[in-house]
Amino acid sequence: MTAKSAAAAARATVYGYPRQGQGRELKKAVEGYWKGRVDADALRTTAAELRRTNWRQLAEAGVHEVPTGDFSYYDHVLDASVMVGAIPARHRAAVELDALDGYFAMARGTQDVAPLEMTKWFDTNYHYLVPELGPDTVFTADSDKQVGAFREALALGLTARPVLVGPVTYLLLAKPAPGVAADFDPLTLLDRLLPVYAEVLADLRAAGAEWAQLDEPALVQDRTPAELNAAERAYRDLGALTDRPKLLVASYFDRLGDALPVLAKAPVEGLALDFTGAAAANLDALAAVGGLPGKRLVAGVVDGRNIWVNDLTKSLATLGTLLGLADRVDVAASCSLLHVPLDAAAERDIEPQILRWLAFARQKTREIVTLAKGLSQGTGAISAQLAANRADLASRAGSPITRDPAVRARTAAVTEADARRSQPYGERTTAQRARLGLPLLPTTTIGSFPQTAELRTARADLRANRIDTAGYEERIRAEIGEVISFQEKTGLDVLVHGEPERNDMVQYFAEQLTGYLATQHGWVQSYGTRYVRPPILAGDISRPEPMTVRWTTYAQSLTSRPVKGMLTGPVTMLAWSFVRDDQPLGDTARQVALALREEVNDLEAAGTSVIQVDEPALRETLPLRAADRAAYLAWATEAFRLTTAGVRPDTQIHTHMCYAEFGDIVQAIDDLDADVISLEAARSHMQVARELSGHGYPREAGPGVYDIHSPRVPSADEAAALLRKGLEAIPPERLWVNPDCGLKTRGWPETRASLENLVAAARTVREELAGS
């Protein structure tokens, strides 16, 4: 096929779309089901209507082929586990009794049964449920969800493409099930899994699917020859099937590297590649392997992870280069649009001058359609859109909002000494222990306490002017008093004020820093029914005034026990925002770090003896390729130290991380030079404690003993057992006792019971240590 005819065939598509609905209808329906206010039929009806709405929006925008199967009640990887019958033994009875309740039990756990482990989806803030597999795992096909969604789209008269997690990525994301040897490799189950995928693909073909998409993002990471061989074998076998749709193998988030020639040679009909950011290297690599003759290429040229308008002229140039490298070139976002909000047009409080710079899912869809039209019909067909796009880009580039000379001068003046504590840890810890006087195995929480309906109502009433600031602050003071009183009665050693005034751990600070923009409807799924509104980092960052000192010092006035100052660290402020793409991330991180440094110093000056700077996103933002990691970790750890290094030796600096694979960054955790780190460990059975020990980590650590993402209450015996496991790796004088994460999403009854059990467990283990 000639380049001209390939251009004529260009079509617009996407790999996935936000699930929640404009008003977060899915969240409300699922949580209503959990609470018994919504029955299963009503939940299914809401979900079906959301799917139909999404497909109609895409079709009306001009998308030629809509995705199906990407919608999920909780998580698409959990859906894949259901599709292949990989139900953990402890959940099988519940699934057999009621498939929907059993599904949610795997996600959230019950009082008697632990949920699946949860961790970050590659380098995003989306969390998936980790498959649990072992040598005895038996896979069985369940294509009902995939076939059902596909038929729903067909019934609307749409061209649809089912989207599945690919078999290689599924196995590479899995872990050995509890009780299985830690060195078990789930990839050894590939030959057992492929017939199940074959059965699902046959069912989709029977339902009328022309194409099916198999997502293999794990192949953009560094892969061993054995793993690449597994990918070659998987798509050789699936490609050889006669009863299947055409196969589109999709990758995203980075360049494919050594996996590209493997997939290019595979007997599949198409590849979907990312051409944004670091993945732009896919273009030269594709040319180097001779392109994709006779195959379809879906080109991800619109950034699916950030919210800035696309440079249409630049993207068209990339697409034009690709025309000669494949039989057919279609246009898409770089990844699923799950990672961006739904519609920028809903934002009424952002200035029109700035709003024109933004593209959420609906706007990105229009960009994709415009690019496909331009590729097919020539730039003359989209001249008006190109002119408007150039004006939008020029408006942003020339705006004074983006640059503050004073901030840039201050950042340029930073020296290496500014990011170094005045004394080494060995000397600091003596001073801190003398100042704090804490017992062995000190107990604390991570920061937030339950955000009750009353708190959310008070915040809404303040925004709507139904109450005045004085009335709102009185409610906050009362909540802080209750939180401090509860912690004292329970026996916690280092307290927190509970963060009742904070809407979100990033947004709260972003709203008080110059350079950030807040949205009203920019919701993005983090996990399950947890949605966040990432702020938009549009300009240079500074702190006009203290942000947390007032409420921290008020809480400290209520107790003689130390109250932690609570801040969100610079890397997480970037990772959980939509960051500017017009300067290096390291430069932006230093700006944020200097603003936070002022806050840290003000907290210390106000008498705060323990200051926690959370960095849960340090691992999440780690580049997927090892070659890119050293540069990232250098600026990321420097930014943390720049935030915290200005305090006295006897001020204790804490940090916190959660729900990630920490083994890859143990050296970076060490390089932060925090005095204490708390980490998620309950679902992973203290794995991180062993990783810290193996590294020789010399500082204090609190691997979590209470999984806060499940409604179940851990018993005191259960928490004590985890503590004893932690003590196998960390000596008692350096071990802290804490939950996995903040308690914002939990209810008060389970929080009270769980923390009482946590404190009881610490006392029990202290007594055991004293008697040994």
Side-chain angles (χ1 to χ4, degrees):
M1 179 179 282
T2 66
K4 182 177 180 180
S5 60
R11 294 185 172 222
T13 190
V14 298
Y15 310 153
Y17 206 63
R19 302 162 178 164
Q20 68 269 21
Q22 185 64 54
R24 290 183 293 161
E25 291 86 354
L26 182 62
K27 171 185 173 69
K28 295 168 186 175
V30 171
E31 292 182 350
Y33 177 75
W34 292 344
K35 295 175 182 178
R37 297 197 298 259
V38 172
D39 64 23
D41 287 342
L43 173 58
R44 294 187 182 101
T45 297
T46 297
E49 182 54 40
L50 288 170
R51 289 192 293 272
R52 287 192 293 270
T53 298
N54 285 351
W55 293 329
R56 288 189 182 112
Q57 284 182 1
L58 290 169
E60 289 167 3
V63 168
H64 302 95
E65 185 182 52
V66 302
T68 64
D70 61 303
F71 183 91
S72 177
Y73 287 119
Y74 202 97
D75 168 49
H76 59 277
V77 181
L78 178 59
D79 294 350
S81 291
V82 173
M83 183 186 79
V84 301
I87 309 300
R90 65 185 182 279
H91 288 290
R92 285 176 195 154
V95 171
E96 290 171 0
L97 183 64
D98 186 294
L100 188 59
D101 286 345
Y103 174 89
F104 287 128
M106 287 189 285
R108 307 173 70 231
T110 67
Q111 184 54 43
D112 300 319
V113 182
L116 294 171
E117 183 180 342
M118 184 168 67
T119 196
K120 298 292 177 69
W121 175 249
F122 298 92
D123 57 348
T124 75
N125 188 35
Y126 179 82
H127 301 65
Y128 72 93
L129 278 304
V130 180
E132 294 179 357
L133 305 176
D136 297 329
T137 297
V138 176
F139 296 115
T140 56
D142 180 354
S143 61
D144 287 353
K145 179 208 170 189
Q146 284 288 348
V147 171
F150 176 74
R151 285 176 171 161
E152 287 178 20
L154 285 191
L156 296 175
L158 302 175
T159 300
R161 182 185 70 253
V163 178
L164 296 75
V165 176
V168 179
T169 289
Y170 179 78
L171 293 176
L172 289 172
L173 293 178
K175 283 189 171 183
V180 172
D183 61 353
F184 172 74
D185 182 2
L187 199 58
T188 60
L189 301 175
L190 181 62
D191 291 336
R192 202 181 301 176
L193 180 63
L194 290 177
V196 173
Y197 269 80
E199 187 174 342
V200 173
L201 291 170
D203 289 345
L204 288 169
R205 182 66 188 131
E210 179 185 2
W211 286 87
Q213 177 176 321
L214 295 170
D215 284 359
E216 293 287 6
L219 295 181
V220 306
Q221 297 173 298
D222 297 312
R223 289 299 165 199
T224 66
E227 291 166 341
L228 293 173
N229 287 338
E232 186 278 331
R233 189 169 78 253
Y235 286 99
R236 179 198 66 201
D237 291 358
L238 293 177
L241 298 171
T242 56
D243 187 14
R244 64 167 177 81
K246 296 176 184 177
L247 298 182
L248 178 70
V249 181
S251 66
Y252 37 82
F253 299 149
D254 211 318
R255 57 200 182 274
L256 266 175
D258 291 339
L260 180 56
V262 172
L263 295 179
K265 295 174 185 175
V268 299
E269 287 74 19
L271 295 186
L273 302 179
D274 185 350
F275 292 97
T276 65
N282 276 332
L283 195 156
D284 289 340
L286 188 61
V289 300
L292 302 174
K295 293 186 179 182
R296 175 188 187 187
L297 171 64
V298 179
V301 293
V302 172
D303 189 346
R305 296 180 57 179
N306 212 333
I307 46 68
W308 305 108
V309 294
N310 183 261
D311 185 334
L312 297 180
T313 301
K314 181 179 178 181
S315 293
L316 277 173
T318 299
L319 291 166
T321 303
L322 292 171
L323 281 179
L325 297 176
D327 186 57
R328 166 179 160 188
V329 177
D330 291 335
V331 186
S334 61
C335 60
S336 170
L337 296 176
L338 170 73
H339 305 290
V340 294
L342 184 58
D343 189 2
E347 300 301 328
R348 306 299 184 189
D349 296 336
I350 296 178
E351 295 179 16
Q353 173 194 352
I354 297 174
L355 196 62
R356 64 190 292 198
W357 307 344
L358 308 181
F360 293 177
R362 295 192 73 172
Q363 289 72 37
K364 288 182 184 295
T365 301
R366 288 198 289 270
E367 290 177 337
I368 293 165
V369 171
T370 296
L371 288 167
K373 183 178 180 180
L375 189 62
S376 299
Q377 302 176 27
T379 56
I382 58 169
S383 57
Q385 293 95 320
L386 289 174
N389 179 248
R390 285 192 292 269
D392 293 340
L393 295 172
S395 168
R396 182 182 171 210
S399 173
I401 294 171
T402 63
R403 298 181 68 86
D404 183 333
V407 171
R408 291 178 177 260
R410 185 182 177 202
T411 305
V414 169
T415 67
E416 184 179 338
D418 292 325
R420 189 169 56 243
R421 295 286 291 271
S422 62
Q423 291 185 5
Y425 171 74
E427 297 175 18
R428 300 196 308 260
T429 188
T430 301
Q432 291 163 16
R433 288 174 181 172
R435 181 181 183 185
L436 296 173
L438 299 173
L440 200 65
L441 306 181
T443 56
T444 189
T445 64
I446 303 306
S448 62
F449 266 66
Q451 285 269 326
T452 62
E454 292 78 12
L455 281 173
R456 291 192 293 271
T457 297
R459 197 173 293 124
D461 287 346
L462 179 66
R463 288 196 302 268
N465 295 317
R466 289 188 290 267
I467 60 174
D468 60 15
T469 300
Y472 173 73
E473 292 183 350
E474 182 58 36
R475 180 69 188 90
I476 297 300
R477 278 190 290 271
E479 184 69 19
I480 291 172
E482 292 174 13
V483 168
I484 293 293
S485 175
F486 165 73
Q487 292 174 93
E488 285 192 318
K489 291 176 183 176
T490 302
L492 288 158
D493 299 304
V494 175
L495 313 187
V496 297
H497 79 290
E499 305 176 11
E501 79 286 5
R502 303 186 189 183
N503 45 14
D504 176 82
M505 66 180 291
V506 171
Q507 185 181 354
Y508 176 77
F509 293 98
E511 289 175 347
Q512 301 183 74
L513 294 169
T514 62
Y516 269 103
L517 304 173
T519 69
Q520 293 300 313
H521 305 285
W523 297 103
V524 176
Q525 186 179 20
S526 179
Y527 64 87
T529 61
R530 168 74 170 144
Y531 291 83
V532 295
R533 280 184 297 162
I536 298 168
L537 209 164
D540 289 341
I541 301 298
S542 61
R543 185 197 73 145
E545 59 185 13
M547 302 178 287
T548 67
V549 175
R550 177 186 178 194
W551 293 120
T552 303
T553 53
Y554 173 71
Q556 187 63 77
S557 74
L558 303 176
T559 180
S560 59
R561 300 181 190 183
V563 174
K564 286 193 284 190
M566 300 297 307
L567 305 176
T568 301
V571 177
T572 301
M573 288 294 298
L574 267 62
W576 294 359
S577 302
F578 293 116
V579 296
R580 59 191 304 177
D581 57 359
D582 58 350
Q583 69 180 23
L585 278 175
D587 293 353
T588 307
R590 289 183 194 98
Q591 292 181 3
V592 177
L594 288 171
L596 294 173
R597 183 184 178 102
E598 293 177 344
E599 190 72 14
V600 168
N601 293 345
D602 283 349
L603 282 167
E604 182 185 58
T608 305
S609 56
V610 181
I611 301 172
Q612 182 170 308
V613 180
D614 289 345
E615 282 292 20
L618 183 69
R619 171 61 180 85
E620 167 192 318
T621 316
L622 187 72
L624 298 177
R625 292 280 182 180
D628 303 328
R629 292 177 178 176
Y632 158 73
L633 290 172
W635 66 253
T637 55
E638 180 212 48
F640 181 90
R641 295 193 307 273
L642 187 58
T643 300
T644 58
V647 298
R648 302 193 312 259
D650 64 347
T651 296
Q652 191 172 74
I653 295 293
H654 288 223
T655 191
H656 168 68
M657 300 179 191
C658 56
Y659 299 97
E661 301 296 328
F662 300 113
D664 294 334
I665 60 164
V666 175
Q667 181 58 55
I669 291 173
D670 200 347
D671 292 342
L672 296 178
D673 198 25
D675 300 305
V676 181
I677 183 168
S678 55
L679 302 121
E680 173 271 325
R683 286 198 187 190
S684 56
H685 311 290
M686 288 286 160
Q687 176 181 329
V688 69
R690 297 187 292 274
E691 291 169 343
L692 291 175
S693 176
H695 173 77
Y697 185 74
R699 300 173 186 83
E700 299 175 39
V705 298
Y706 163 25
D707 173 18
I708 67 88
H709 287 301
S710 171
R712 65 186 301 272
V713 175
S715 67
D717 288 345
E718 182 180 339
L722 282 173
L723 274 180
R724 295 184 193 104
K725 188 173 290 189
L727 284 167
E728 295 173 4
I730 300 172
E733 65 272 13
R734 292 197 283 112
L735 186 68
W736 283 64
V737 185
N738 46 260
D740 275 346
C741 199
L743 302 166
K744 176 181 178 180
T745 61
R746 300 270 56 90
W748 261 110
E750 67 210 65
T751 295
R752 289 192 184 93
S754 297
L755 291 181
E756 287 166 355
N757 289 347
L758 180 149
V759 171
R763 288 173 178 156
T764 296
V765 177
R766 281 180 199 142
E767 292 170 1
E768 293 171 358
L769 291 169
S772 61

